[in-house]
Amino acid sequence: MSPMMIFPLFLLAAGILVMVQPRTKRWQSRMNAHFQGDERRIKQRANTFFLLGLAFFFAGFAYLFRLVG
């Protein structure tokens, strides 16, 4: 696999990882402790992580599409 193909795959994997991160129990317990149980701020942080992961995923997909096509 050429080095040019590794970067888009890394972006895709990182995007999926960042999107899934807020769903883990460890993440939820840490955010609950950090925000002292403020559900609104925890949900806001989870949505931010989801959008960031989605941006990474789309960037990786677009980069991969450009390399292949």
Side-chain angles (χ1 to χ4, degrees):
M1 185 175 292
S2 74
M4 293 297 290
M5 291 293 288
I6 293 173
F7 186 63
L9 297 176
F10 170 75
L11 286 175
L12 290 170
I16 291 171
L17 181 68
V18 171
M19 283 191 290
V20 173
Q21 181 75 18
R23 297 186 188 272
T24 62
K25 284 194 180 278
R26 182 174 183 227
W27 188 92
Q28 289 176 355
S29 66
R30 285 176 174 231
M31 288 299 111
N32 198 18
H34 181 73
F35 292 122
Q36 287 92 28
D38 187 0
E39 290 294 323
R40 183 186 58 82
R41 292 189 67 196
I42 294 171
K43 186 172 175 114
Q44 185 179 25
R45 181 65 58 95
N47 288 340
T48 301
F49 267 71
F50 182 81
L51 290 175
L52 181 66
L54 193 61
F56 270 80
F57 183 79
F58 282 150
F61 186 72
Y63 193 48
L64 187 64
F65 184 73
R66 183 162 173 121
L67 282 176
V68 173

